mmCIF file of all heavy atoms in Angstrom:
data_model
loop_
_atom_site.group_PDB
_atom_site.id
_atom_site.type_symbol
_atom_site.label_atom_id
_atom_site.label_comp_id
_atom_site.label_asym_id
_atom_site.label_seq_id
_atom_site.Cartn_x
_atom_site.Cartn_y
_atom_site.Cartn_z
ATOM 1 N N GLN G 1330 -94.987 102.401 26.604
ATOM 2 C CA GLN G 1330 -94.774 102.925 25.258
ATOM 3 C C GLN G 1330 -94.727 104.448 25.266
ATOM 4 O O GLN G 1330 -93.853 105.058 24.643
ATOM 5 C CB GLN G 1330 -95.891 102.432 24.328
ATOM 6 C CG GLN G 1330 -95.870 100.937 24.055
ATOM 7 C CD GLN G 1330 -97.090 100.471 23.299
ATOM 8 O OE1 GLN G 1330 -97.913 101.274 22.846
ATOM 9 N NE2 GLN G 1330 -97.239 99.153 23.152
ATOM 10 N N GLN G 1331 -95.659 105.071 25.986
ATOM 11 C CA GLN G 1331 -95.668 106.527 26.076
ATOM 12 C C GLN G 1331 -94.451 107.038 26.834
ATOM 13 O O GLN G 1331 -93.872 108.076 26.500
ATOM 14 C CB GLN G 1331 -96.950 107.008 26.760
ATOM 15 C CG GLN G 1331 -98.212 106.757 25.956
ATOM 16 C CD GLN G 1331 -98.231 107.521 24.653
ATOM 17 O OE1 GLN G 1331 -97.599 108.562 24.515
ATOM 18 N NE2 GLN G 1331 -98.953 107.012 23.668
ATOM 19 N N ALA G 1332 -94.029 106.300 27.854
ATOM 20 C CA ALA G 1332 -92.843 106.700 28.619
ATOM 21 C C ALA G 1332 -91.599 106.668 27.739
ATOM 22 O O ALA G 1332 -90.730 107.537 27.843
ATOM 23 C CB ALA G 1332 -92.663 105.773 29.825
ATOM 24 N N VAL G 1333 -91.505 105.668 26.871
ATOM 25 C CA VAL G 1333 -90.372 105.575 25.945
ATOM 26 C C VAL G 1333 -90.360 106.772 25.004
ATOM 27 O O VAL G 1333 -89.318 107.417 24.797
ATOM 28 C CB VAL G 1333 -90.435 104.258 25.143
ATOM 29 C CG1 VAL G 1333 -89.454 104.292 23.974
ATOM 30 C CG2 VAL G 1333 -90.117 103.075 26.049
ATOM 31 N N ALA G 1334 -91.515 107.096 24.423
ATOM 32 C CA ALA G 1334 -91.590 108.225 23.494
ATOM 33 C C ALA G 1334 -91.207 109.530 24.180
ATOM 34 O O ALA G 1334 -90.434 110.337 23.650
ATOM 35 C CB ALA G 1334 -92.996 108.319 22.907
ATOM 36 N N GLN G 1335 -91.732 109.735 25.379
ATOM 37 C CA GLN G 1335 -91.438 110.959 26.123
ATOM 38 C C GLN G 1335 -89.975 111.018 26.542
ATOM 39 O O GLN G 1335 -89.301 112.038 26.375
ATOM 40 C CB GLN G 1335 -92.326 111.031 27.361
ATOM 41 C CG GLN G 1335 -92.035 112.229 28.265
ATOM 42 C CD GLN G 1335 -92.756 112.114 29.602
ATOM 43 O OE1 GLN G 1335 -93.670 111.309 29.763
ATOM 44 N NE2 GLN G 1335 -92.349 112.919 30.560
ATOM 45 N N GLY G 1336 -89.484 109.913 27.105
ATOM 46 C CA GLY G 1336 -88.117 109.904 27.618
ATOM 47 C C GLY G 1336 -87.065 110.037 26.533
ATOM 48 O O GLY G 1336 -86.088 110.770 26.689
ATOM 49 N N LEU G 1337 -87.247 109.325 25.422
ATOM 50 C CA LEU G 1337 -86.270 109.405 24.340
ATOM 51 C C LEU G 1337 -86.214 110.805 23.748
ATOM 52 O O LEU G 1337 -85.130 111.316 23.437
ATOM 53 C CB LEU G 1337 -86.600 108.384 23.255
ATOM 54 C CG LEU G 1337 -86.205 106.937 23.537
ATOM 55 C CD1 LEU G 1337 -86.646 106.039 22.394
ATOM 56 C CD2 LEU G 1337 -84.694 106.806 23.743
ATOM 57 N N ALA G 1338 -87.388 111.435 23.581
ATOM 58 C CA ALA G 1338 -87.407 112.793 23.035
ATOM 59 C C ALA G 1338 -86.685 113.770 23.957
ATOM 60 O O ALA G 1338 -85.897 114.614 23.514
ATOM 61 C CB ALA G 1338 -88.853 113.243 22.805
ATOM 62 N N ALA G 1339 -86.937 113.641 25.260
ATOM 63 C CA ALA G 1339 -86.295 114.538 26.221
ATOM 64 C C ALA G 1339 -84.785 114.294 26.292
ATOM 65 O O ALA G 1339 -83.985 115.236 26.335
ATOM 66 C CB ALA G 1339 -86.921 114.352 27.600
ATOM 67 N N TYR G 1340 -84.380 113.025 26.291
ATOM 68 C CA TYR G 1340 -82.953 112.686 26.378
ATOM 69 C C TYR G 1340 -82.210 113.144 25.133
ATOM 70 O O TYR G 1340 -81.102 113.692 25.208
ATOM 71 C CB TYR G 1340 -82.804 111.183 26.577
ATOM 72 C CG TYR G 1340 -81.383 110.723 26.805
ATOM 73 C CD1 TYR G 1340 -80.555 111.375 27.705
ATOM 74 C CD2 TYR G 1340 -80.873 109.615 26.122
ATOM 75 C CE1 TYR G 1340 -79.252 110.945 27.921
ATOM 76 C CE2 TYR G 1340 -79.575 109.186 26.332
ATOM 77 C CZ TYR G 1340 -78.770 109.851 27.233
ATOM 78 O OH TYR G 1340 -77.482 109.418 27.436
ATOM 79 N N ALA G 1341 -82.826 112.947 23.955
ATOM 80 C CA ALA G 1341 -82.201 113.412 22.717
ATOM 81 C C ALA G 1341 -82.021 114.931 22.747
ATOM 82 O O ALA G 1341 -80.994 115.462 22.308
ATOM 83 C CB ALA G 1341 -83.043 113.002 21.516
ATOM 84 N N GLY G 1342 -83.030 115.626 23.284
ATOM 85 C CA GLY G 1342 -82.922 117.073 23.403
ATOM 86 C C GLY G 1342 -81.805 117.486 24.340
ATOM 87 O O GLY G 1342 -81.087 118.457 24.087
ATOM 88 N N GLY G 1343 -81.643 116.748 25.423
ATOM 89 C CA GLY G 1343 -80.560 117.034 26.357
ATOM 90 C C GLY G 1343 -79.184 116.814 25.750
ATOM 91 O O GLY G 1343 -78.262 117.608 25.957
ATOM 92 N N LEU G 1344 -79.031 115.723 25.004
ATOM 93 C CA LEU G 1344 -77.762 115.455 24.335
ATOM 94 C C LEU G 1344 -77.426 116.543 23.322
ATOM 95 O O LEU G 1344 -76.273 116.997 23.216
ATOM 96 C CB LEU G 1344 -77.814 114.093 23.641
ATOM 97 C CG LEU G 1344 -77.839 112.859 24.550
ATOM 98 C CD1 LEU G 1344 -78.093 111.610 23.726
ATOM 99 C CD2 LEU G 1344 -76.527 112.728 25.311
ATOM 100 N N LYS G 1345 -78.441 116.984 22.579
ATOM 101 C CA LYS G 1345 -78.216 118.040 21.587
ATOM 102 C C LYS G 1345 -77.852 119.354 22.260
ATOM 103 O O LYS G 1345 -76.956 120.076 21.792
ATOM 104 C CB LYS G 1345 -79.468 118.223 20.728
ATOM 105 C CG LYS G 1345 -79.292 119.233 19.599
ATOM 106 C CD LYS G 1345 -80.541 119.294 18.731
ATOM 107 C CE LYS G 1345 -80.349 120.285 17.581
ATOM 108 N NZ LYS G 1345 -81.566 120.344 16.706
ATOM 109 N N ALA G 1346 -78.521 119.666 23.371
ATOM 110 C CA ALA G 1346 -78.217 120.896 24.099
ATOM 111 C C ALA G 1346 -76.773 120.893 24.593
ATOM 112 O O ALA G 1346 -76.073 121.908 24.534
ATOM 113 C CB ALA G 1346 -79.183 121.061 25.271
ATOM 114 N N HIS G 1347 -76.311 119.731 25.062
ATOM 115 C CA HIS G 1347 -74.920 119.622 25.519
ATOM 116 C C HIS G 1347 -73.943 119.829 24.361
ATOM 117 O O HIS G 1347 -72.951 120.556 24.492
ATOM 118 C CB HIS G 1347 -74.689 118.257 26.155
ATOM 119 C CG HIS G 1347 -73.265 117.999 26.528
ATOM 120 N ND1 HIS G 1347 -72.644 118.621 27.582
ATOM 121 C CD2 HIS G 1347 -72.320 117.189 25.949
ATOM 122 C CE1 HIS G 1347 -71.384 118.215 27.652
ATOM 123 N NE2 HIS G 1347 -71.175 117.348 26.679
#
Side-chain angles (χ1 to χ4, degrees):
Q1330 292 172 7
Q1331 293 296 334
V1333 167
Q1335 176 191 345
L1337 282 178
Y1340 185 47
L1344 290 172
K1345 184 176 181 179
H1347 174 72

